[in-house]
Amino acid sequence: LFTLFRKITGTSEMTKENVQPILDQMQQHLMAKNVAADVAAKLCASVGEKLVGRTKGTFTTIKSVVKQALEESLTQILSPKRQIDILRDVRAAQQEGRPFSMVFCGVNGVGKSTNLSKIAFWLLSNNMRVMIAACDTFRSGAVEQLRTHCRKLRTMLDDTDDAHPRVVVYDRGYGRNDAEVAADAIRIAKSEKYDVVLIDTAGRMQDNAPLMRSLTQLIRTNKPDLVLFVGEALVGNEAVDQLTKFNRALQDYSEERNPRVIDGILLTKFDTVDDKVGSSISMTYITGQPIVFVGTGQHYFDLRKLNVKSVVSALLKPVQK
Amino acid sequence: MVLGDLGRKIKGALWNMTSATVIDEEVFDELVKDICRALIESDVQVGLVSKLRNNIKAAVQFDDSGAGVNRRRQIQRAVFTELCKLVDPGVTPWKPKKNQPNVIMFVGLQGSGKTTTCTKLAYHYQRRGWKACLVCADTFRAGAFDQLKQNATKARIPFYGSYTEIDPVVIAADGVEKFKQQGFEIIIVDTSGRHKQEDSLFEEMLQVSNAVDPDNIIFVMDATIGQACQGQAQAFKDKVDVGAVIVTKLDGHAKGGGALSAVAATKSPIVYIGTGEHIDDLEPFQTKSFVSKLLGMGDVQGLMER
Ligand SMILES: Nc1nc2c(ncn2[C@@H]2O[C@H](COP(=O)(O)OP(=O)(O)OP(=O)(O)O)[C@@H](O)[C@H]2O)c(=O)[nH]1
Ligand SMILES: Nc1nc2c(ncn2[C@@H]2O[C@H](COP(=O)(O)OP(=O)(O)OP(=O)(O)O)[C@@H](O)[C@H]2O)c(=O)[nH]1
Ligand SMILES: [Mg+2]
Ligand SMILES: [Mg+2]
């Protein structure tokens, strides 16, 4: 009688055998959406663990159950456990009579300087005074790039008061020690009552030990309020290695007991990947850190908050050709 | 070696197969699976990988009762053929000609390394006795002209650009014209970064190309790129006549499989690779020798003989 009852309501158990093929499909799908292979595998495995042994209802297919569980996992990975409220933290620093400082770091060419300028624009729009510290003293044109942005921002703001500009670049040219340039900038920003110091750094490969050590030095000596890792949405499997190694280097090369690591992620070039938005998953899965901003273009307005819902739905949609 | 990890994994997979006593369908499937996994982990486009999987599978028949050795050879040949197709577009790379102007235009996504690589390539030719120069047709990126100017000055390479002209088409045309008249042999035109989602940027690229009528267009690609590569590379190829690929940032950890997707999309060979930020961090790339190294041809041939 009992078995008959079960048959009528049609519930059935989900087994490794009937779930696995669907998980394999999902894994392939996530990789096509540019989720790193390793992350896609782990994610699907954990969804499998959650589902095997459970029963599903009459009118649902295993596929839809898996899809829903995956949707939940993806949403959870992208939802910050910790809110970063920069404006609030800047005001708190103001109360202490010091500038709030943030460092932009990451590999070469991902968009550190451009998105730093967008954040400057956003802070200026919130009536903050901003100093940009030109601590990329290596790459040709890096200083002039920031000066150009600064000039454009001042024009946009109609800022003509050269004695008290609302945004300035502090630079000491090329070939300097970046940590010292940052220290000088923070000191001057304090005496000239700038609210925020945005510290641009040179791009560096995560395996380049001397450069990673010097970044650690910059962070250790200047104790910035926020360390942002800038990564581009275009990156594939390397996302995992970049973040793991940036974090590890900041820990290993620091001689402190509680070394600083990355506080948050700035995900750039989001406008260049269509629906292949998987790098957002790879990056947050690896670090557990929030995506604080998303860069969506080359103009000052092209800065957004991550829309978790739309990213998850883009990830689950069929792959665009 | 570039893509070396990938090569190692594929060789490992082939070895695993050969060490199996019986080559049945199960062993074969495992081999194909291992190879495909290695390719995807190296950022080769998922679609390309499944095509490769199907082609290899179609080339090997299990119903005919051929001997074990035969089958082994059949499988190795199928894998080899398909991987060659992936890396080698079968096109001979363009070569500049002495004593005449050769115009080379650089295109690519934002931040891929165009400006840096432009100088590297000009320097490469200059050291080999060519009269080389640079034209900065990027009027968009802040500090773009300063970047090229500082790079060129350090390497003593003549350059052309403007702080006031805002039309890249005008600068490109003027610069190329000027250097042609002065008898330069290698004239390299740097352009702004762009992406397929913004039509106006692609239109601008076409106009620059029309204005300077380049002898070769080089698509510069970052080795860390993932699944978006194929679509972007394809779109560049559809708009202008891309003839070669340079993969940059291979000094990092990236395996550079995205490059293979770009080769497939543009049907153009990889001609150089970038291995650092300094001016001499540029290495020529030979598809043929890469493929044989990738597959450890020696080993494979040895196995086939047995
Ligand atoms: N489409 C698009 N392009 C972007 C975005 N952010 C930055 N870029 C472009 O990416 C290129 C590189 O940006 P930069 O800000 O110079 O990158 P960087 O990380 O500072 O580079 P290095 O200092 O050389 O390591 C520029 O052409 C930017 O305009 C974005 O969100 N979308
Ligand atoms: N490590 C490493 N860095 C590289 C290599 N090639 C370029 N870069 C760095 O990548 C960053 C971007 O290079 P650019 O030459 O400015 O790139 P681009 O394509 O001209 O950028 P846009 O003009 O903004 O589109 C810079 O920091 C370069 O130093 C390379 O082979 N290895
Ligand atoms: Mg920069
Ligand atoms: Mg450039």
Side-chain angles (χ1 to χ4, degrees):
Chain A
L1 190 81
F2 187 68
T3 46
L4 184 66
F5 182 67
R6 270 237 316 236
K7 226 176 218 152
I8 288 166
T9 58
T11 54
S12 64
E13 189 171 302
M14 295 191 285
T15 61
K16 180 128 180 82
E17 286 68 38
N18 60 23
V19 170
Q20 196 57 45
I22 293 168
L23 285 175
D24 289 346
Q25 268 174 32
M26 290 290 177
Q27 189 178 330
Q28 195 75 10
H29 173 82
L30 288 175
M31 291 189 300
K33 294 278 181 174
N34 203 32
V35 175
D38 184 37
V39 173
K42 284 185 182 147
L43 230 139
C44 288
S46 79
V47 168
E49 259 165 46
K50 228 183 336 188
L51 295 183
V52 169
R54 278 213 227 154
T55 50
K56 67 166 187 67
T58 328
F59 300 111
T60 51
T61 59
I62 294 182
K63 185 155 188 174
S64 71
V65 177
V66 171
K67 200 167 165 184
Q68 198 190 332
L70 188 64
E71 183 173 346
E72 281 163 20
S73 293
L74 293 171
T75 307
Q76 200 194 346
I77 291 166
L78 290 174
S79 305
K81 280 129 219 97
R82 197 166 45 80
Q83 289 294 336
I84 292 183
D85 185 341
I86 295 179
L87 293 178
R88 182 199 59 200
D89 295 347
V90 172
R91 288 194 190 100
Q94 275 172 340
Q95 297 299 311
E96 298 167 25
R98 62 174 185 92
F100 178 90
S101 57
M102 55 201 278
V103 168
F104 295 74
C105 62
V107 302
N108 303 85
V110 290
K112 294 175 292 298
S113 312
T114 306
N115 288 279
L116 174 148
S117 310
K118 295 181 199 170
I119 289 183
F121 173 71
W122 170 68
L123 291 166
L124 289 162
S125 315
N126 281 282
N127 286 318
M128 308 285 182
R129 291 183 71 222
V130 177
M131 176 176 279
I132 298 172
C135 296
D136 178 354
T137 65
F138 173 75
R139 208 210 68 218
S140 301
V143 175
E144 287 79 5
Q145 182 180 11
L146 294 176
R147 285 203 201 118
T148 305
H149 279 302
C150 184
R151 201 175 54 240
K152 284 191 188 160
L153 287 168
R154 291 193 63 199
T155 311
M156 281 170 79
L157 297 168
D158 272 327
D159 180 18
T160 48
D161 183 357
D162 290 340
H164 296 281
R166 292 186 50 203
V167 53
V168 287
V169 172
Y170 177 79
D171 84 84
R172 283 172 54 201
Y174 293 93
R176 297 307 183 112
N177 177 306
D178 51 2
E180 282 170 24
V181 179
D184 284 353
I186 293 173
R187 190 171 41 76
I188 295 167
K190 185 172 180 189
S191 76
E192 294 184 6
K193 303 214 164 13
Y194 281 92
D195 303 302
V196 183
V197 182
L198 302 177
I199 301 170
D200 189 29
T201 65
R204 64 201 78 215
M205 289 290 160
Q206 68 268 26
D207 282 320
N208 188 324
L211 294 183
M212 293 308 294
R213 197 172 276 130
S214 98
L215 177 66
T216 310
Q217 170 83 358
L218 183 148
I219 290 171
R220 191 166 55 86
T221 54
N222 289 290
K223 302 194 169 32
D225 295 279
L226 194 67
V227 177
L228 280 188
F229 176 85
V230 185
E232 57 177 24
L234 287 163
V235 68
N237 282 281
E238 277 297 285
V240 174
D241 198 68
Q242 285 178 6
L243 273 157
T244 314
K245 288 193 181 143
F246 263 77
N247 259 333
R248 195 183 303 153
L250 293 184
Q251 283 169 337
D252 290 356
Y253 296 140
S254 167
E255 279 124 41
E256 302 194 332
R257 200 183 298 264
N258 293 310
R260 281 296 295 279
V261 289
I262 288 157
D263 298 309
I265 296 161
L266 201 168
L267 184 62
T268 65
K269 307 187 192 173
F270 209 69
D271 51 324
T272 69
V273 295
D274 294 331
D275 63 344
K276 299 188 178 63
V277 293
S279 57
S280 61
I281 293 291
S282 311
M283 292 188 196
T284 44
Y285 184 90
I286 291 302
T287 54
Q289 300 292 9
I291 292 174
V292 189
F293 294 104
V294 180
T296 55
Q298 299 182 267
H299 299 278
Y300 296 116
F301 298 96
D302 297 327
L303 192 68
R304 305 268 184 283
K305 293 268 171 214
L306 186 79
N307 183 337
V308 175
K309 242 192 158 141
S310 74
V311 171
V312 172
S313 101
L315 283 168
L316 293 174
K317 268 194 305 210
V319 180
Q320 237 176 50
K321 273 289 154 210
Chain B
M1 191 185 64
V2 203
L3 301 157
D5 247 23
L6 176 60
R8 255 194 305 283
K9 280 186 189 159
I10 289 171
K11 259 189 264 176
L14 281 169
W15 269 108
N16 281 346
M17 178 193 71
T18 40
S19 62
T21 35
V22 185
I23 312 281
D24 53 10
E25 214 157 343
E26 202 179 314
V27 173
F28 176 56
D29 283 348
E30 201 51 45
L31 166 80
V32 176
K33 219 162 136 192
D34 283 350
I35 290 175
C36 290
R37 188 183 308 127
L39 291 170
I40 289 179
E41 282 171 359
S42 309
D43 292 312
V44 180
Q45 204 233 0
V46 171
L48 270 183
V49 177
S50 40
K51 214 184 288 166
L52 173 132
R53 182 192 295 120
N54 296 338
N55 290 351
I56 294 179
K57 289 207 160 171
V60 179
Q61 266 90 46
F62 273 90
D63 37 12
D64 76 7
S65 48
V69 180
N70 256 335
R71 183 166 296 151
R72 212 166 288 200
R73 193 177 298 163
Q74 205 180 29
I75 293 174
Q76 276 159 351
R77 199 171 301 143
V79 170
F80 183 71
T81 312
E82 288 307 315
L83 286 168
C84 282
K85 270 202 248 167
L86 208 55
V87 188
D88 186 356
V91 179
T92 327
W94 170 87
K95 287 232 154 46
K97 296 191 186 73
K98 268 284 188 190
N99 303 316
Q100 69 174 62
N102 296 275
V103 179
I104 306 171
M105 177 175 162
F106 273 53
V107 300
L109 290 164
Q110 289 92 348
S112 57
K114 295 174 293 301
T115 307
T116 311
T117 311
C118 269
T119 330
K120 288 181 184 178
L121 191 65
Y123 181 70
H124 170 89
Y125 281 115
Q126 192 181 50
R127 278 205 326 194
R128 282 160 183 77
W130 298 70
K131 252 190 108 180
C133 62
L134 291 162
V135 177
C136 173
D138 179 358
T139 54
F140 180 79
R141 155 121 175 234
F145 184 35
D146 288 293
Q147 184 185 4
L148 183 134
K149 191 171 160 179
Q150 288 171 19
N151 279 340
T153 307
K154 261 185 247 164
R156 300 170 179 276
I157 298 164
F159 61 91
Y160 181 89
S162 167
Y163 285 113
T164 48
E165 174 58 61
I166 52 165
D167 187 351
V169 182
V170 172
I171 297 182
D174 289 356
V176 168
E177 187 51 37
K178 179 186 149 203
F179 283 130
K180 271 186 176 171
Q181 274 166 16
Q182 296 178 358
F184 277 87
E185 295 167 304
I186 302 286
I187 305 173
I188 298 178
V189 182
D190 185 22
T191 63
S192 307
R194 61 195 84 237
H195 55 293
K196 71 175 168 107
Q197 288 83 356
E198 222 177 303
D199 290 339
S200 60
L201 295 180
F202 262 51
E203 205 46 46
E204 177 195 277
M205 170 170 69
L206 179 60
Q207 283 173 23
V208 172
S209 172
N210 288 342
V212 303
D213 190 19
D215 298 285
N216 193 20
I217 298 182
I218 296 182
F219 179 65
V220 178
M221 218 199 50
D222 183 323
T224 66
I225 195 169
Q227 296 292 322
C229 179
Q230 171 123 356
Q232 291 289 357
Q234 184 71 55
F236 275 85
K237 176 74 177 183
D238 290 347
K239 197 73 183 181
V240 295
D241 190 15
V242 172
V245 174
I246 293 183
V247 188
T248 62
K249 308 184 196 175
L250 272 164
D251 47 323
H253 170 270
K255 299 181 193 71
L260 304 188
S261 315
V263 169
T266 60
K267 304 199 170 41
S268 307
I270 303 172
V271 287
Y272 291 94
I273 58 168
T275 54
E277 296 191 71
H278 296 281
I279 193 149
D280 50 5
D281 294 331
L282 186 75
E283 295 171 19
F285 184 85
Q286 250 111 35
T287 301
K288 288 262 163 13
S289 82
F290 170 72
V291 176
S292 58
K293 270 193 216 155
L294 174 73
L295 297 170
M297 276 255 270
D299 303 346
V300 174
Q301 244 148 23
L303 288 167
M304 284 170 151
E305 243 95 84
R306 223 182 285 161

